[in-house]
Amino acid sequence: MSLPTMASPTLSPDSSSQEALSAPTCSPTSDSENLSPDELELLAKLEEQNRLLEADSKSMRSMNGSRRNSGSSLVSSSSASSNLSHLEEDTWILWGRIANEWEEWRRRKEKLLKELIRKGIPHHFRAIVWQLLCSATNMPVKNQYSELLKMSSPCEKLIRRDIARTYPEHEFFKGQDSLGQEVLFNVMKAYSLVDREVGYCQGSAFIVGLLLMQMPEEEAFCVFVRLMQEYRLRELFKPSMAELGLCIYQFEYMLQEQLPDLNTHFRSQSFHTSMYASSWFLTLFLTTFPLPVATRIFDIFMYEGLEIVFRVGLALLQVNQVELMQLDMEGMSQYFQRVIPHQFDSCPDKLILKAYQVKYNPKKMKRLEKEYTAMKSKEMEEQIEIKRLRTENRLLKQRIETLEKESAALADRLIQGQVTRAQEAEENYVIKRELAVVRQQCSSAAEDLQKAQSTIRQLQEQQDNPRLTEDFVAHLETELEQSRLRETETLGALREMQDKVLDMEKRNSSLPDENNVARLQEELKALKVRESQAVASARELKLQLQELSDTWQTHLSRGGRWKESPRKLVLGELQDELMSVRLREAQALAEGRELRQRVVELETHWPSMG
């Protein structure tokens, strides 16, 4: 998260702001009412010290601005410096005793200690007092620091990038590869390894930088670890920054309750609280005020926690309400960057006094925390529900896409099935026509066979008749040629039927037309019966042919009668050849009938298989 650095003064507050700042600042806070007389006297001394410091600084500024110095002014200046030195000595003695008797002061003089911290911890005592306030002395993690520096952190590049942006004008951190930048890098890297969930956040570098201005890096590391664990800072710097949202929510409630007009003005200008208050909570005003003022606020934060941030933030808005009400969003943004940071440079006690005049109710803040937690929990549940619905929606879209693809595939298959069925119906029609032609050829062959049988009978009757004419021989030759032609046609038809049978065997798993299945089955059954009868008659014919063949062979073996005449010899050869051709024709017809019988069987089994 990128945070702005401290702004340089370019504007000065107007008369109303000066009037607000001119109020008395050295009065005790509300918690001082229950202090003992000695404690009140000690606080009065501290207030006197602050007054003298302020007067001394004003006199020094007047001396630098004018060369007209009178003797009386020199006397008063020296007197003030003398009183200031005595008070500083008393303060050192007091805080030295507090540091040495810390447990007793925390246990028995807690109210006085709180007032002293609000008045400011002396610079040279801050290191030890801060460690005592957050119980960071003798922490076990201190012994791990040197080992952590030897390890590698995934946040090193980010830390290196932001080091130069942390207190760029401070001498300790100025210059690349300076000692301040090196020790700041070490502490940030070590913490990113100890708390990997938080890792590194830029705002935390300003807090670590302030610690390094007061103490060595090992002690600064321990104090920072304790602040992150016990002062809500870890929740502020988590990647989700949920605690920052809570702080902004609580601060907006206080603003609406105590400064309703200013809150309405902010809303009308779309000037959101996070635009000016986020850096207050993330850096504890270290990027808002100069270091002397920010350090005083940090003293109180070490003892009282984030409450001081709410108080100081609302006090700033109260002091500047009139001016802010007259500005638009851009003017307010400039005012927060240039005017507000330097209003309390001369006397931070004025700011602290204003802060403790702000109404702050811890119980109400707890109630707001519960409301915010419940609101965020509800938002989280709604986000989870939205995420679940989005996931379901995505899954439903995927399911719809899958179903659309399946529907398209089924439509393609349906169209392909219809095309295939039409092709099969056409092929069935062609096969039926071919089957009708074959049946017609079978009938013709049967008629020819009957004619051949009658011719054979006539030949058998004429075997004993020696009177044969040339017309009869010519007739036999013509019939022989016709028989050869029919044999060729029959053989061709037989081959075609064999091809059809093979094709039917390959396609015996194909589906016929559903509407014609029953009719085809009945027709095929009838054909099967007729073909069975034809097979039986073919077998009988075969037997007769075999008998005729045997008779013919016997006749040939006896045929010495025709050797007497050449004409008889030629006639005998023609008759022999005619008889052989007719026998082969009869065998081919018988074979064709068997093949047709097989076709019938295949066609009978075809629908049942489908």
Side-chain angles (χ1 to χ4, degrees):
M1 178 179 180
S2 178
L3 296 171
T5 56
M6 294 179 291
S8 60
T10 57
L11 300 174
S12 60
D14 55 12
S15 58
S16 60
S17 298
Q18 294 288 352
E19 183 180 353
L21 295 176
S22 63
T25 61
C26 297
S27 60
T29 57
S30 59
D31 289 341
S32 63
E33 297 176 356
N34 299 325
L35 299 178
S36 65
D38 293 337
E39 293 172 345
L40 289 173
E41 182 180 358
L42 180 58
L43 288 176
K45 287 182 180 181
L46 289 173
E47 291 170 358
E48 180 67 17
Q49 177 187 359
N50 292 331
R51 187 182 63 78
L52 290 174
L53 283 171
E54 183 180 359
D56 186 58
S57 62
K58 289 180 179 179
S59 65
M60 291 297 291
R61 287 195 297 271
S62 64
M63 288 172 63
N64 293 332
S66 175
R67 295 297 181 181
R68 296 176 299 173
N69 297 326
S70 63
S72 59
S73 65
L74 291 173
V75 171
S76 63
S77 177
S78 62
S79 176
S81 299
S82 176
N83 292 333
L84 183 60
S85 64
H86 286 299
L87 287 172
E88 286 180 349
E89 184 178 354
D90 292 342
T91 303
W92 275 62
I93 294 172
L94 173 63
W95 278 101
R97 191 171 65 202
I98 291 174
N100 291 326
E101 302 171 358
W102 179 256
E103 293 299 330
E104 183 178 354
W105 276 78
R106 285 293 296 264
R107 192 168 55 251
R108 298 183 180 181
K109 301 179 181 181
E110 184 178 0
K111 294 181 179 179
L112 178 59
L113 180 61
K114 181 186 292 186
E115 291 296 329
L116 291 173
I117 291 173
R118 289 177 180 179
K119 296 301 178 184
I121 302 172
H123 174 72
H124 296 286
F125 284 94
R126 279 199 172 105
I128 183 63
V129 174
W130 284 357
Q131 293 182 61
L132 292 171
L133 282 172
C134 66
S135 303
T137 56
N138 301 322
M139 289 182 64
V141 74
K142 185 177 182 180
N143 300 327
Q144 304 175 10
Y145 184 74
S146 58
E147 295 297 326
L148 292 171
L149 296 183
K150 298 177 184 179
M151 300 168 63
S152 176
S153 170
C155 304
E156 289 185 15
K157 290 184 179 180
L158 292 175
I159 298 172
R160 286 288 185 194
R161 184 194 65 187
D162 294 334
I163 285 295
R165 306 178 188 177
T166 306
Y167 300 114
E169 303 299 327
H170 197 280
E171 288 295 330
F172 186 55
F173 299 99
K174 188 182 295 185
Q176 189 175 4
D177 299 328
S178 62
L179 176 61
Q181 290 190 11
E182 190 62 30
V183 294
L184 179 59
F185 173 80
N186 290 341
V187 175
M188 299 308 301
K189 171 187 171 182
Y191 185 79
S192 69
L193 292 169
V194 169
D195 189 353
R196 294 183 180 272
E197 183 181 1
V198 173
Y200 165 73
C201 183
Q202 183 185 357
S204 60
F206 289 94
I207 299 174
V208 175
L210 179 64
L211 297 176
L212 290 171
M213 295 177 197
Q214 314 296 330
M215 62 190 76
E217 58 182 299
E218 292 86 354
E219 285 78 3
F221 174 68
C222 294
V223 173
F224 183 63
V225 170
R226 184 65 70 183
L227 291 178
M228 295 292 283
Q229 293 175 349
E230 304 295 336
Y231 287 74
R232 296 171 62 184
L233 292 186
R234 185 175 184 275
E235 301 299 322
L236 280 172
F237 291 118
K238 277 185 177 181
S240 62
M241 289 189 172
E243 192 71 13
L244 178 61
L246 171 60
C247 293
I248 297 296
Y249 180 77
Q250 293 171 328
F251 189 83
E252 284 180 344
Y253 182 85
M254 293 179 64
L255 176 63
Q256 183 178 1
E257 184 180 43
Q258 300 183 33
L259 300 173
D261 295 337
L262 183 60
N263 180 63
T264 302
H265 178 66
F266 281 167
R267 290 181 180 273
S268 66
Q269 296 295 324
S270 298
F271 193 62
H272 303 292
T273 309
S274 58
M275 297 172 65
Y276 60 88
S278 295
S279 62
W280 295 352
F281 289 99
L282 290 174
T283 64
L284 308 175
F285 294 101
L286 291 172
T287 58
T288 304
F289 296 121
L291 277 175
V293 181
T295 307
R296 287 289 304 278
I297 298 173
F298 198 83
D299 289 339
I300 302 173
F301 168 77
M302 293 292 293
Y303 191 77
E304 301 182 29
L306 283 176
E307 177 183 336
I308 188 61
V309 181
F310 288 96
R311 289 183 176 276
V312 171
L314 208 60
L316 291 175
L317 297 180
Q318 287 177 346
V319 170
N320 297 279
Q321 179 179 6
V322 177
E323 291 75 16
L324 291 171
M325 292 282 290
Q326 300 173 1
L327 300 173
D328 58 6
M329 184 175 70
E330 185 177 356
M332 287 187 289
S333 180
Q334 294 291 329
Y335 194 87
F336 271 95
Q337 292 179 9
R338 299 178 180 178
V339 179
I340 289 179
H342 298 283
Q343 288 179 330
F344 301 94
D345 290 357
S346 59
C347 187
D349 289 290
K350 294 180 180 180
L351 178 61
I352 303 301
L353 179 63
K354 287 287 184 183
Y356 281 98
Q357 291 174 352
V358 172
K359 297 178 182 179
Y360 183 88
N361 190 337
K363 293 183 178 179
K364 188 174 291 185
M365 300 298 278
K366 283 288 184 183
R367 179 176 61 81
L368 291 173
E369 182 178 355
K370 292 181 180 179
E371 289 180 3
Y372 182 80
T373 303
M375 180 178 67
K376 285 297 178 182
S377 177
K378 185 177 180 180
E379 289 180 359
M380 186 64 68
E381 291 176 357
E382 291 176 353
Q383 290 178 358
I384 293 173
E385 180 66 17
I386 290 172
K387 187 177 180 181
R388 185 185 66 80
L389 291 174
R390 286 177 178 172
T391 303
E392 290 183 359
N393 188 26
R394 178 173 54 82
L395 294 175
L396 287 174
K397 286 182 178 178
Q398 293 177 355
R399 180 61 178 165
I400 289 171
E401 291 177 358
T402 304
L403 290 174
E404 288 178 350
K405 291 180 181 178
E406 292 179 356
S407 177
L410 288 173
D412 293 340
R413 288 176 59 186
L414 178 61
I415 293 171
Q416 186 63 33
Q418 291 175 349
V419 171
T420 304
R421 183 166 296 174
Q423 292 176 350
E424 290 176 352
E426 184 177 358
E427 291 176 359
N428 288 335
Y429 177 72
V430 173
I431 291 172
K432 288 177 182 178
R433 290 183 61 185
E434 292 177 354
L435 183 61
V437 172
V438 171
R439 286 174 179 168
Q440 187 176 359
Q441 292 176 353
C442 181
S443 301
S444 300
E447 293 176 357
D448 292 340
L449 181 59
Q450 291 177 358
K451 291 179 180 179
Q453 289 175 350
S454 64
T455 303
I456 290 171
R457 284 195 296 269
Q458 291 176 4
L459 289 173
Q460 287 176 349
E461 293 174 355
Q462 293 175 0
Q463 281 181 358
D464 299 330
N465 189 3
R467 298 181 62 184
L468 298 172
T469 63
E470 293 180 0
D471 295 334
F472 182 72
V473 173
H475 175 71
L476 288 177
E477 289 176 351
T478 303
E479 192 172 352
L480 177 61
E481 291 176 0
Q482 293 177 355
S483 297
R484 286 176 179 176
L485 290 174
R486 286 196 300 273
E487 181 183 11
T488 304
E489 293 176 358
T490 304
L491 290 174
L494 180 61
R495 292 192 188 96
E496 289 180 2
M497 289 302 297
Q498 289 175 345
D499 294 337
K500 293 292 182 181
V501 168
L502 292 175
D503 184 61
M504 293 294 290
E505 288 178 348
K506 291 179 182 178
R507 297 172 52 198
N508 58 0
S509 59
S510 301
L511 289 174
D513 191 353
E514 295 178 357
N515 298 326
N516 299 328
V517 170
R519 184 174 55 80
L520 287 174
Q521 286 179 349
E522 293 177 359
E523 185 178 352
L524 288 174
K525 288 179 180 179
L527 286 174
K528 187 174 180 181
V529 173
R530 291 198 300 273
E531 291 298 331
S532 299
Q533 295 174 356
V535 168
S537 62
R539 287 176 181 172
E540 293 177 359
L541 185 59
K542 258 188 165 185
L543 293 175
Q544 292 178 3
L545 285 174
Q546 187 64 37
E547 292 176 357
L548 288 173
S549 177
D550 293 340
T551 305
W552 180 254
Q553 292 296 331
T554 304
H555 174 71
L556 289 178
S557 62
R558 292 184 306 178
R561 262 195 279 175
W562 292 340
K563 292 180 182 179
E564 297 174 358
S565 172
R567 178 183 294 271
K568 292 181 179 181
L569 183 60
V570 172
L571 180 60
E573 290 176 358
L574 289 174
Q575 289 178 341
D576 294 341
E577 190 172 354
L578 176 61
M579 184 58 66
S580 300
V581 169
R582 287 180 174 175
L583 288 173
R584 287 197 302 271
E585 182 181 5
Q587 291 175 355
L589 290 174
E591 211 173 303
R593 289 184 178 180
E594 290 182 357
L595 288 173
R596 288 180 186 80
Q597 177 65 23
R598 190 175 178 187
V599 168
V600 172
E601 292 177 356
L602 288 174
E603 290 177 344
T604 306
H605 290 293
W606 184 13
S608 61
M609 292 178 66

